């Protein structure tokens, strides 16, 4: 890739860096797959060691796609791409291989998660009631979280739609070095702040911590 695509500047989302994604195939053992989807332990093993199971090579792609899928959403690959790639950058985006495109969306999703954690870490949980600034940070963290989840759901759709195959998806995840630790920190921090100040928060997996009906809490990608 000679030119980096740009995120939609109306969104304010962080763009991916303009270096081409680094390659890097993981080791494939005789009986299973060794990936880099970890829980944050840099010295740990691969995918099957992190989860305590061995996943046959032919099922790893489907397993990863299912892990990325958001059961509350039905994002298509095209919708995910449209949400973050500006119209003037579509030609440069099209020059990327499907694997490279998945890597770029993984980078963006990870950036959204990191920013969400930063917002949440700036909210003290030992006050009597939240200030307007604290509420704004909490809402911004939820927006960033939503964006990250939409992008990963779009990646799962790319696999389901046949846009990326097993090898491409697994190689993209290994090249990026996907780590669930930031997502876990994000969820823990959201839960802590929401409980401290009785704020509305739909826990990961669909449990809404408020009295609103689910359809009243519909969430869309907001790249601003």
């Amino acid at each position: 890739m000679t030119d980096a695509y740009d995120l939609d500047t109306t969104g304010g989302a962080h763009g991916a860096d303009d270096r081409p994604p680094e390659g890097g195939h993981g080791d494939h053992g005789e009986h299973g797959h060794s990936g880099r989807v970890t829980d944050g332990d840099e010295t740990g093993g691969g995918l099957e060691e992190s989860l305590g199971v061995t996943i046959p090579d032919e099922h790893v792609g489907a397993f990863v796609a299912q892990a990325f899928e958001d059961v509350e959403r039905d994002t298509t690959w095209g919708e995910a791409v449209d949400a973050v790639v500006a119209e003037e950058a579509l030609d440069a985006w099209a020059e990327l291989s499907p694997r490279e495109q998945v890597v770029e969306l993984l980078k963006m999703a990870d950036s959204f998660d990191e920013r969400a954690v930063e917002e949440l870490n700036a909210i003290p949980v030992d006050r009597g009631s939240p200030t307007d600034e604290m509420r704004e940070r909490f809402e911004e963290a939820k927006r960033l979280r939503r964006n990250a989840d939409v992008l990963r759901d779009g990646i799962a759709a790319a696999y389901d739609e046949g846009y990326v195959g097993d090898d491409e998806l697994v190689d993209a995840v290994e090249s990026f070095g996907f780590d669930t630790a930031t997502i876990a920190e994000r969820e823990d921090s959201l839960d802590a702040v929401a409980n401290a100040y009785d704020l509305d928060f739909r826990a990961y997996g669909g449990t809404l911590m408020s009295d609103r009906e689910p359809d009243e809490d519909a969430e869309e990608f907001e790249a601003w």
Side-chain angles (χ1 to χ4, degrees):
M1 178 176 63
T2 57
D3 297 313
Y5 62 87
D6 297 319
L7 291 180
D8 188 341
T9 54
T10 62
H14 289 308
D17 72 35
D18 56 6
R19 295 170 297 176
E22 296 179 359
H25 295 271
D27 296 328
H28 292 66
E30 180 181 355
H31 303 294
H33 181 87
S34 178
R36 291 187 59 200
V37 183
T38 71
D39 59 2
D41 181 2
E42 295 181 356
T43 62
L47 180 61
E48 71 275 17
E49 288 87 350
S50 297
L51 301 178
V53 295
T54 297
I55 303 169
D57 288 340
E58 63 269 24
H59 298 305
V60 174
F63 180 87
V64 172
Q66 186 175 12
F68 284 167
E69 183 178 354
D70 188 327
V71 295
E72 296 183 352
R73 306 185 192 282
D74 190 21
T75 312
T76 67
W77 171 249
E79 288 170 343
V81 171
D82 289 344
V84 293
V85 181
E87 183 176 355
E88 61 270 19
L90 288 176
D91 288 343
W93 174 263
E95 293 178 0
L96 299 175
S97 68
R99 183 197 72 84
E100 290 172 323
Q101 291 177 350
V102 169
V103 170
E104 294 302 299
L105 258 63
L106 285 171
K107 289 180 182 178
M108 290 182 230
D110 192 60
S111 176
F112 283 128
D113 282 334
E114 290 176 350
R115 290 164 56 198
V117 170
E118 289 174 0
E119 293 289 343
L120 293 165
N121 286 344
I123 303 174
V125 293
D126 58 352
R127 307 293 171 85
S129 60
T131 63
D132 289 342
E133 179 184 357
M134 291 160 63
R135 290 181 182 275
E136 290 174 1
R137 287 187 178 277
F138 184 74
E139 291 302 316
E140 175 66 359
K142 289 200 299 180
R143 182 188 72 84
L144 293 165
R145 170 190 191 251
R146 181 166 63 247
N147 287 354
D149 291 347
V150 165
L151 291 185
R152 294 194 186 98
D153 195 42
I155 292 172
Y159 179 82
D160 291 338
E161 296 166 10
Y163 184 70
V164 292
D166 291 83
D167 291 343
E168 292 171 313
L169 179 59
V170 173
D171 187 42
V173 171
E174 291 182 332
S175 298
F176 176 67
F178 179 70
D179 190 332
T180 61
T182 303
I183 299 175
E185 183 180 3
R186 180 195 75 181
E187 294 302 297
D188 288 344
S189 297
L190 276 165
D191 186 61
V193 174
N195 282 323
Y197 300 115
D198 195 26
L199 300 174
D200 290 345
F201 162 53
R202 186 190 294 274
Y204 202 72
T207 304
L208 179 65
M209 297 174 61
S210 78
D211 295 328
R212 289 185 292 178
E213 293 297 322
D215 59 355
E216 295 181 65
D217 198 63
E219 298 174 334
E220 300 296 336
F221 192 101
E222 299 178 64
W224 45 262

